[in-house]
Amino acid sequence: METSEETKSRLAGLPPAGKGQATPSRRQQEALNKRPLVPDDRKLAAKQARGKAAEARDRARVGMAAGDEKYLPVRERGPQKRYVRDYVDARFNVGEFMIPVMFLVILLTFFPDPSVQTYGILALWAFFLVAVVDSVILGFTVTRKLTAKFGAGKVERVRWYSAMRALQLRPMRLPKPQVKRGQYPA
């Protein structure tokens, strides 16, 4: 099996270095290591670099959507965060419907009757209050379950993380939900 150094010297037409052979001169070694700083065809090199960057972005996007730890941001990594994601995704969250309810209230504001607009705004505030209470209960529940699973001294602060995930529409969450509703983590 030929080493990379032997391959370079063979391609450069140099005699193989090793026992019984003369050490290559400095000029010969530097000639092996020289390569142009700027490629001959800059447009082609730029196109290839864009292609490689696009492939890397696609791999990262697919990896993040799939929940691959290597592609997740630091705030999403670790077994506790995975547990929280799975728990939130398995649960029915009131906050998931915040955006559709807000859209409905916006539509209600187009009605000329002020009582319809007022009731719509009051309903939005009531829904918002219920979503906040649901998120607080979720935070306490997740913290308690993490303490039971990972031990009291090793639990991360995940209440805000769980609440923010619970307030997102299920199809819009990243990483994508890995469990179905009702499939709570063990």
Side-chain angles (χ1 to χ4, degrees):
M1 182 90 179
E2 191 175 54
T3 66
S4 62
E5 296 298 324
E6 291 170 342
T7 304
K8 283 182 186 177
S9 64
R10 183 176 50 82
L11 293 176
L14 298 174
K19 289 186 177 183
Q21 300 292 328
T23 303
S25 68
R26 183 177 191 151
R27 180 179 295 168
Q28 290 171 331
Q29 282 300 106
E30 287 179 352
L32 285 177
N33 293 332
K34 281 188 180 178
R35 58 185 178 276
L37 293 175
V38 179
D40 293 335
D41 188 359
R42 292 179 65 119
K43 288 184 180 180
L44 178 65
K47 185 177 181 181
Q48 289 173 343
R50 281 193 303 271
K52 284 182 183 178
E55 285 179 25
R57 278 193 308 273
D58 286 342
R59 275 195 312 273
R61 183 181 48 76
V62 169
M64 183 171 174
D68 187 3
E69 289 280 324
K70 183 169 82 172
Y71 296 107
L72 291 177
V74 175
R75 72 174 192 277
E76 305 270 348
R77 291 184 187 167
Q80 292 185 20
K81 298 290 178 82
R82 177 175 293 279
Y83 183 88
V84 170
R85 283 195 304 271
D86 290 345
Y87 188 84
V88 170
D89 294 339
R91 182 177 182 270
F92 173 78
N93 302 296
V94 176
E96 290 180 49
F97 302 103
M98 183 69 71
I99 293 174
V101 168
M102 286 180 174
F103 183 71
L104 183 65
V105 169
I106 289 172
L107 290 179
L108 287 177
T109 59
F110 289 121
F111 279 90
D113 187 10
S115 63
V116 172
Q117 295 173 359
T118 304
Y119 287 130
I121 296 293
L122 289 175
L124 175 65
W125 279 104
F127 189 83
F128 181 72
L129 185 63
V130 170
V132 167
V133 169
D134 182 54
S135 296
V136 169
I137 291 170
L138 172 66
F140 282 113
T141 305
V142 165
T143 303
R144 186 172 33 87
K145 295 212 178 258
L146 283 176
T147 303
K149 182 171 174 106
F150 294 101
K154 298 182 181 180
V155 175
E156 295 179 25
R157 303 174 84 189
V158 292
R159 287 183 184 171
W160 186 255
Y161 179 73
S162 63
M164 289 299 102
R165 189 159 177 93
L167 290 174
Q168 295 174 353
L169 288 169
R170 187 175 169 91
M172 304 292 283
R173 295 178 185 160
L174 274 180
K176 297 285 185 198
Q178 304 293 317
V179 296
K180 294 181 180 172
R181 289 199 194 269
Q183 287 183 331
Y184 290 95

